[in-house]
């Protein structure tokens, strides 16, 4: 049986994509930037590929 991805992870990823940063997503979701980062990382692990770019100026 296939497990569905985390709804909180999907919300965090969608908000980060819209805001262009984990900080903006965190403010919208009333959580810390670290929490958004962790939710997106867990979602990436679940899907098996990277959803966000990790560069010096990129937050998503």
């Amino acid at each position: 049986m296939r497990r569905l991805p985390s709804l909180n992870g999907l919300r965090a990823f969608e908000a980060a994509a819209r805001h262009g940063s984990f900080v903006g997503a965190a403010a919208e979701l009333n959580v810390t930037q670290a929490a958004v980062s962790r939710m997106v990382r867990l979602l990436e692990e679940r899907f098996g590929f990277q959803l966000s770019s990790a560069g010096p100026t990129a937050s998503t």
Side-chain angles (χ1 to χ4, degrees):
M1 176 188 268
R2 280 183 76 175
R3 289 183 38 218
L4 295 174
S6 161
L7 184 55
N8 285 337
L10 291 171
R11 285 183 183 142
F13 174 70
E14 186 275 333
R18 236 181 331 100
H19 287 280
S21 72
F22 289 172
V23 173
E28 177 184 324
L29 299 171
N30 296 312
V31 297
T32 64
Q33 176 272 330
V36 172
S37 177
R38 183 172 189 276
M39 285 187 271
V40 171
R41 181 177 48 81
L42 291 172
L43 195 61
E44 289 174 337
E45 288 175 8
R46 175 78 180 106
F47 287 144
F49 54 86
Q50 187 174 353
L51 297 171
S52 60
S53 61
T57 59
S59 296
T60 60

